[in-house]
């Protein structure tokens, strides 16, 4: 039987260049003909946002940003954009900042220019997420896909080493989940494999020397590939677990992904040998889990959900919330029993494999 698949490539302009963020941003605003720009950045990210937007006439800077995009924060930001007659959103920051810009775009249709300073990857997807009453809801809508992404590795220098590692492993989770997500195909698997190679090469460099710009460029490149693969392949078992944990117990996004990833890989790999072989080849190891665990050991990655705010008594509730969200196409059937075992090991920090 011949190769048969359906693939959709999202249309987006990408500008990549270290030290060029301010120049690229000004050029894009002019190209788009925007008159009233709303810059979105968290309080921590605001100094960087002010620096790279100093050359543009921004109508306002909005810094009321929170992880997992609480619905009340989204409504405030939406009303602010409408009240100020905004015609362009510029997000400068990580996944939470990009997520808030997407929440505005979802209801207003305003275009977004994203300037990432982490490796979250949200900027390259048409996926949105909102949290209400400790429940995180996600969806897909082309209105939230940024029209332009501006990558500048120098901006990631403000990211502490530990968060750089966790954010990079979050990007790696996009790659690995894309290998067996509901809409996986050979194109996004190829992008994901190249993303794994780039992240596996770059993360140890910036872990040992956080100021190494070529290493940060490599990781930023890998993070972009991971997000493009994820946007095409869809959200798999790993992301369903992490979205529930993050939304329900307000756990840190990147670190939660970093902890859960090896457990999902160990769970699915025996039932997805083709994907496992591709992952292993990207790590240049005989075994996919060996490659991931070696990288995690090198990086000193976080290991236990108990250290991130999940109580052991919450595991049963987590299982009940996660089970209905697991894609039917997951390579291995997920049951209440085996999901409990997986989360119990991730909670304790037991190394899978």
């Amino acid at each position: 039987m011949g190769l048969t698949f359906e693939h959709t490539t999202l249309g987006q302009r990408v500008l990549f260049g270290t030290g060029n963020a301010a120049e690229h941003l000004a050029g894009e605003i002019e190209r788009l003909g925007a008159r009233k720009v709303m810059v979105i950045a968290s309080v921590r990210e605001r100094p960087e946002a002010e620096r790279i937007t100093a050359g543009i006439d921004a109508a306002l800077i909005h810094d009321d940003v929170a992880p997992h995009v609480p619905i009340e924060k989204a409504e405030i930001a939406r009303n602010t954009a409408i009240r100020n007659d905004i015609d362009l959103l510029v997000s400068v920051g990580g996944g939470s900042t990009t997520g808030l810009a997407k929440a505005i775009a979802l209801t207003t249709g305003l275009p977004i220019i994203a300037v990432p300073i982490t490796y979250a990857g949200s900027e390259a997807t048409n996926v949105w997420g909102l949290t209400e009453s400790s429940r995180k809801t996600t969806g897909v809508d082309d209105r939230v896909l940024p029209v332009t992404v501006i990558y500048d590795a120098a901006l990631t220098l403000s990211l502490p080493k530990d968060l750089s590692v966790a954010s990079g492993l979050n990007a790696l989770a996009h790659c690995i989940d894309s290998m067996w997500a509901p809409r996986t195909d050979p194109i996004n698997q190829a992008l994901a494999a190249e993303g794994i190679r780039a992240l596996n090469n770059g993360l140890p460099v910036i872990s040992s020397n956080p100021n190494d710009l070529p290493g940060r460029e490599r990781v930023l490149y890998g993070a972009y590939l991971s997000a493009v693969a994820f946007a095409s392949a869809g959200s798999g078992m790993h992301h369903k677990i992490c979205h529930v944990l993050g939304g329900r117990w307000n756990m840190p996004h990147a670190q939660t992904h970093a902890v859960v990833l090896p457990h999902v890989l160990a769970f699915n790999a025996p039932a997805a040998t083709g994907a496992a072989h591709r992952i292993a080849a990207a790590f240049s190891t005989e075994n996919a889990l060996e490659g991931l665990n070696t990288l995690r050991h090198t990086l000193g990655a976080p290991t236990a959900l108990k250290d991130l705010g999940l109580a052991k008594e919450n595991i049963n509730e987590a299982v009940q919330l996660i089970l209905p969200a697991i894609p039917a196409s997951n390579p291995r059937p997920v049951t209440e029993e085996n999901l409990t075992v997986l989360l119990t090991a991730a909670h304790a920090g037991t190394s899978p494999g």
Side-chain angles (χ1 to χ4, degrees):
M1 184 175 177
L3 190 64
T4 304
F5 63 91
E6 179 179 328
H7 179 86
T8 300
T9 299
L10 299 177
Q12 185 179 63
R13 182 175 170 88
V14 176
L15 299 172
F16 200 111
T18 299
N20 296 332
E23 176 187 350
H24 282 158
L25 178 58
E28 282 301 282
I29 290 172
E30 181 178 359
R31 184 181 72 86
L32 295 170
R35 298 174 296 101
K36 301 198 72 175
V37 177
M38 177 176 174
V39 178
I40 302 168
S42 70
V43 172
R44 185 183 74 82
E45 298 156 346
R46 183 165 180 150
E48 199 70 77
E50 290 177 342
R51 185 180 68 79
I52 67 169
T53 60
I56 68 171
D57 186 19
L60 64 102
I61 297 181
H62 182 86
D63 62 10
D64 189 10
V65 178
H68 307 295
V69 196
I71 187 66
E72 59 272 17
K73 300 285 188 185
E75 291 297 341
I76 291 170
R78 289 165 174 168
N79 291 333
T80 299
I82 294 168
R83 188 171 59 250
N84 287 276
D85 196 25
I86 297 301
D87 60 4
L88 176 67
L89 306 170
V90 174
S91 65
V92 182
S96 298
T97 303
T98 308
L100 183 60
K102 287 182 171 185
I104 301 171
L106 183 64
T107 57
T108 64
L110 289 172
I112 304 170
I113 296 177
V115 188
I117 65 173
T118 73
Y119 310 117
S122 175
E123 68 280 353
T125 80
N126 57 356
V127 179
W128 57 267
L130 290 166
T131 301
E132 183 174 12
S133 302
S134 299
R135 297 290 189 276
K136 188 167 185 176
T137 301
T138 61
V140 175
D141 194 307
D142 286 346
R143 288 178 295 178
V144 309
L145 178 72
V147 296
T148 304
V149 183
I150 296 172
Y151 288 111
D152 183 340
L155 300 181
T156 70
L157 291 172
S158 63
L159 200 62
K161 173 184 169 179
D162 289 350
L163 190 51
S164 294
V165 166
S167 185
L169 289 171
N170 179 20
L172 195 66
H174 288 126
C175 294
I176 291 176
D177 223 18
S178 295
M179 291 292 186
W180 44 56
R183 299 188 305 275
T184 190
D185 64 44
I187 295 176
N188 49 54
Q189 289 171 357
L191 292 170
E194 174 62 9
I196 292 171
R197 292 186 192 97
L199 293 164
N200 190 46
N201 291 335
L203 282 171
V205 174
I206 64 174
S207 178
S208 60
N209 180 10
N211 294 319
D212 189 288
L213 276 173
R216 287 190 175 271
E217 286 181 339
R218 193 73 180 162
V219 174
L220 204 53
Y221 163 69
Y224 169 70
L225 292 176
S226 77
V228 174
F230 177 72
S232 172
S235 183
M237 176 183 177
H238 170 88
H239 281 79
K240 298 303 184 183
I241 292 172
C242 293
H243 286 163
V244 167
L245 296 179
R248 176 65 181 89
W249 289 283
N250 197 30
M251 297 172 65
H253 182 81
Q255 292 88 339
T256 301
H257 280 270
V259 170
V260 171
L261 181 58
H263 297 275
V264 174
L265 178 57
F267 182 88
N268 272 343
T273 55
H277 286 318
R278 283 188 286 272
I279 295 167
F283 278 122
S284 298
T285 55
E286 291 294 322
N287 176 276
L289 187 60
E290 174 194 348
L292 176 59
N293 282 340
T294 298
L295 176 62
R296 286 172 45 81
H297 178 74
T298 299
L299 300 177
T303 59
L305 293 177
K306 66 181 180 181
D307 298 331
L308 304 179
L310 183 71
K312 190 171 184 179
E313 55 266 28
N314 296 142
I315 291 176
N316 287 339
E317 181 184 353
V319 168
Q320 299 308 315
L321 293 173
I322 292 165
L323 269 177
I326 300 293
S329 59
N330 192 68
R332 178 179 170 188
V334 181
T335 66
E336 182 173 338
E337 291 74 22
N338 60 30
L339 184 56
T340 300
V341 171
L342 186 155
L343 288 178
T344 301
H347 174 268
T350 305
S351 179

